[in-house]
Amino acid sequence: MQELTHFIGGKHVKGTSGRFADVFNPATGEVQAKLPLASVAETDAAVANAAAAQPAWAATNPQRRARVLMEFVRLLNRDMDKLAEALSREHGKTVPDARGDVQRGLEVVEFCIGAPHLLKGEYTDSAGPGIDMYSMRQALGVVAGITPFNFPAMIPMWKFAPAIACGNAFILKPSERDPSVPLMLAELMLEAGLPEGILNVVNGDKEAVDAILDNGTVQAVGFVGSTPIAQYIYARGCANGKRVQCFGGAKNHMIVMPDADMDQAADALIGAGYGAAGERCMAISVAVPVGDQTADALIEKLVPRIEKLKIAPYTGGEDVDYGPLVTAEAKSRVLGLIESGIEQGAELVIDNRDFSLQGYEDGFFVGPHLFDRVTREMDIYKQEIFGPVLSTVRAENYEDALAHAMDHEYGNGTAIFTRDGDTARDFANRINIGMVGINVPIPVPLAYHTFGGWKKSGFGDLNQHGPDAFRFYTRTKTVTSRWPSGLKEGGEFHFKQMD
Ligand code: NAD
C-alpha cells in the first residue's frame, strides 16, 4: 500500500502522528493509498519552516517571482496528462474534466504572472509642501489554504498562485480524499524555481485545520468547501484575528423562460446538472421552468438526453459523461436524499436507484435522476445534493421563479435562459447571487474576473482570484514623507491640514 507524505521545506516528509486516512479509487471502491494526517506539532513545524523562508521571498523582485509562475505554467502543460490521470484516479471525474480542472487553475497562474503590475502601489506627488504620499502592497507573511475534494488542482492553484506571487509563504491543507495532485503541484513549483519552504502541503483533517486556525503566525486563511465548515472556519479564524475568506455550498437555479430555445436549455442542463456527477459548486441542481407548458416541453427534451448519458470509470474512453461519486458515504447520502424526495412527494421522472456497472459493482457510481414537481419544503430542494440529481421546480411566472432563487439560502451561481433582453437584464440586476449566467449554464468567471458567491455561499469581503486575490493576500501600507528644509526648525504638534 502506497503511503503518501506531506511536502514541507521543499521535501516529501513522512507523517509522524500515527493517524492515517484511506484514499480510494472511487471507480473500484479499493483503497489505493494511505494519507498521513498531521498533528498540531507537525502543522506548527510546517508553519515555522514557512515563516523562516518567507522574508527572502517577499524581498525577491516581483518579476523574478512571476518568472517562477511562468515556468510553472510550462511544467503544468508538460505534465497535463499525468496530472489529469492522477486526478481522475482519486476523484473519479473523467479525464477531459480532470484536464479542465488543471486548466482552470493554470489560467489563474497565468493571471498571477502579471503580479508586478498588480502590486504597484499608488503615489501622490506634492500632497503638501515638500510632502509625498505613497501606498504599497506588502505580503502578509505565512498564509494558508484549506481546499475541497471536488477541484483538487484548480482550487489549490486559485489559492497559492496569487498568495505566492504577492510574496507570501503558503500552507496548503488539501482535501484528504484526493491529495496526490496537490503534492504533485508542490513538486512542480519547486522544479519551476520556487525556493524551499514557500509552498508546503500539510495533509490532515480537523486537527490540522484547527492547528492552522490557532497558529498565531498564520496571517490569513482561504477556505473552499461545504457551508457548515466554511462558517466554522470563518468564525474561528476571525476570532483569532486572521484575515479569512470562506466559500461554501450551493444550490444553483436555472430559470427557463417560455421564450427560451428549449434544445439549448436542455443541452445546458445536461452538462451543468450531470457533469462531474453533479459534484461541482457551480452545478445546476434546480431547473425552474416558467409555466406548465415550458415545464412539459423541457422535461420532454431532457428525458432522452439523460437516458443517453454514459456513466463509466475515467478509463472508459473520452466519451464518458461522468464517473463515480468520491466516496461510499457520498453515494449513500445522495441515494438517501433521493428516497426523501420520493417520500416528500416529488415525482421521480428518471429513476436509476438500481444502477450498477458491470465489473465495477463496488465503485461509487450513481445513475442520473430527474425529479419534477419539487417544492420549497422538500429536503432535495433545501439541501445541496452534490450528486447526479436534477430537480425541477415549476414556477407560475417570472416573479415566482426569481423569488425561488432569491429566497434560497445559497447564492453561488444562477442562470436564466431567455430570448428577451429586458427579462435577462432585470434578472441580472435584481438577483442576490454572486455569479449570473444569461443563456450560459455554469457562469464560472475567467481568471481575470473574481469568483465568489453571496448569502451562505461566501463569507468574507473579497472574492477569489482576479484583482481581489491581490487585495486579500497583501496589506496596504501608506507612507507620508516630507523632506523639507525646515525640519530642524522644530516639531509640529497639531494635526496638519494639507494646503
Ligand atoms: P468539506 O467542507 O467536507 O471539506 C473541505 C475542507 O475542509 C477539506 O480540506 C476538509 O479536510 C476540511 N474539513 C472537513 N471537515 C472539517 C472540520 N470538521 N473541521 C475542519 N476542517 C474540516 O467539503 P468537500 O466535501 O471537500 O467539498 C464539497 C463542498 O465544497 C460542496 O459543498 C461544494 O459546494 C463546496 N465548494 C464550494 C466552492 C465555492 O467556490 N463556493 C467550490 C468548490 C466546492
Side-chain angles (χ1 to χ4, degrees):
M1 175 75 52
Q2 188 193 5
E3 185 178 317
L4 296 170
T5 60
H6 307 295
F7 192 86
I8 299 168
K11 288 167 200 67
H12 284 278
V13 176
K14 246 174 105 84
T16 56
S17 71
R19 294 195 308 123
F20 292 90
D22 289 335
V23 179
F24 289 90
N25 177 340
T28 61
E30 286 161 355
V31 177
Q32 52 180 335
K34 292 237 163 266
L35 181 73
L37 301 174
S39 63
V40 175
E42 286 173 292
T43 310
D44 286 348
V47 173
N49 198 301
Q54 190 268 336
W57 178 242
T60 303
N61 133 6
Q63 199 157 8
R64 285 185 195 280
R65 294 201 304 253
R67 281 187 196 136
V68 172
L69 295 178
M70 227 183 282
E71 175 63 3
F72 180 54
V73 167
R74 192 186 70 79
L75 299 177
L76 287 172
N77 281 313
R78 182 195 72 188
D79 288 2
M80 180 65 85
D81 290 342
K82 205 165 115 187
L83 288 161
E85 204 273 336
L87 199 159
S88 295
R89 195 172 356 105
E90 288 183 354
H91 177 286
K93 64 174 73 172
T94 66
V95 172
D97 209 24
R99 279 195 212 105
D101 192 327
V102 179
Q103 177 64 27
R104 275 303 186 103
L106 182 158
E107 287 167 14
V108 168
V109 181
E110 286 175 329
F111 174 73
C112 294
I113 292 170
H117 179 67
L118 289 156
L119 291 172
K120 279 191 308 197
E122 295 169 332
Y123 189 87
T124 302
D125 172 57
S126 297
I131 296 178
D132 304 320
M133 193 176 281
Y134 59 94
S135 306
M136 49 184 158
R137 296 199 159 277
Q138 292 193 318
L140 302 176
V142 180
V143 300
I146 299 157
T147 54
F149 81 85
N150 67 329
F151 282 98
M154 177 184 87
I155 295 179
M157 284 192 261
W158 283 9
K159 302 284 175 208
F160 73 65
I164 287 174
C166 290
N168 299 289
F170 200 87
I171 305 290
L172 173 64
K173 206 306 283 171
S175 170
E176 54 276 52
R177 312 222 191 291
D178 41 18
S180 290
V181 169
L183 287 166
M184 290 163 81
L185 296 176
E187 284 170 12
L188 289 181
M189 281 289 275
L190 199 74
E191 189 183 341
L194 189 72
E196 292 172 356
I198 299 302
L199 175 57
N200 306 279
V201 182
V202 174
N203 284 305
D205 56 3
K206 181 170 164 52
E207 183 170 339
V209 171
D210 287 348
I212 288 169
L213 295 173
D214 294 343
N215 187 303
T217 302
V218 175
Q219 299 295 304
V221 176
F223 169 86
V224 181
S226 61
T227 289
I229 311 298
Q231 278 179 302
Y232 165 73
I233 287 177
Y234 191 71
R236 187 154 170 171
C238 289
N240 285 335
K242 300 188 194 313
R243 189 177 284 196
V244 190
Q245 58 174 192
C246 294
F247 300 93
K251 195 78 180 174
N252 304 319
H253 294 55
M254 182 171 129
I255 282 101
V256 182
M257 295 299 291
D259 68 345
D261 178 326
M262 244 9 104
D263 283 302
Q264 198 186 58
D267 285 339
L269 277 169
I270 296 297
Y274 300 99
E279 289 178 324
R280 287 183 183 140
C281 70
M282 288 296 272
I284 295 286
S285 48
V286 187
V288 191
V290 171
D292 275 331
Q293 254 184 323
T294 312
D296 293 342
L298 185 66
I299 301 259
E300 199 185 305
K301 300 266 184 201
L302 283 171
V303 169
R305 286 169 164 82
I306 296 170
E307 283 167 348
K308 266 196 247 144
L309 288 173
K310 179 174 172 190
I311 296 110
Y314 73 93
T315 44
E318 295 267 322
D319 62 338
V320 177
D321 290 305
Y322 75 80
L325 294 186
V326 69
T327 56
E329 297 96 81
K331 176 176 172 173
S332 70
R333 189 181 156 272
V334 169
L335 291 176
L337 275 162
I338 293 168
E339 292 302 331
S340 85
I342 299 165
E343 281 157 25
Q344 292 170 16
E347 188 185 314
L348 189 55
V349 181
I350 293 196
D351 180 356
N352 271 311
R353 281 174 291 165
D354 59 358
F355 182 88
S356 166
L357 209 56
Q358 211 187 350
Y360 295 92
E361 288 80 2
D362 294 331
F364 312 136
F365 293 93
V366 175
H369 291 76
L370 175 67
F371 276 111
D372 194 5
R373 301 184 190 280
V374 173
T375 60
R376 283 174 185 252
E377 306 71 38
M378 296 176 183
D379 289 331
I380 52 168
Y381 182 71
K382 288 191 283 197
Q383 293 185 31
E384 180 182 41
I385 300 177
F386 230 52
V389 183
L390 180 65
S391 297
T392 311
V393 173
R394 292 175 176 239
E396 283 173 23
N397 49 41
Y398 167 68
E399 289 296 332
D400 184 29
L402 183 74
H404 269 87
M406 299 222 8
D407 294 346
H408 205 284
E409 65 172 351
Y410 291 120
N412 213 37
T414 188
I416 187 165
F417 273 62
T418 179
R419 287 190 171 95
D420 183 53
D422 180 49
T423 307
R425 190 170 177 275
D426 183 77
F427 182 75
N429 281 333
R430 286 168 63 196
I431 197 76
N432 55 358
I433 289 173
M435 293 169 281
V436 181
I438 297 171
N439 298 315
V440 172
I442 304 192
V444 177
L446 291 175
Y448 37 94
H449 288 265
T450 72
F451 182 110
W454 291 14
K455 300 187 276 183
K456 289 212 166 155
S457 297
F459 305 88
D461 305 325
L462 293 167
N463 280 351
Q464 320 188 68
H465 68 64
D468 271 10
F470 282 77
R471 295 189 188 103
F472 184 74
Y473 290 114
T474 54
R475 256 188 285 257
T476 305
K477 185 181 280 175
T478 307
V479 180
T480 305
S481 78
R482 181 156 83 164
W483 298 100
S485 53
L487 242 195
K488 54 189 172 304
E489 287 159 19
E492 284 170 3
F493 295 96
H494 62 278
F495 192 69
K496 181 115 175 72
Q497 277 192 329
M498 293 301 163
D499 300 317

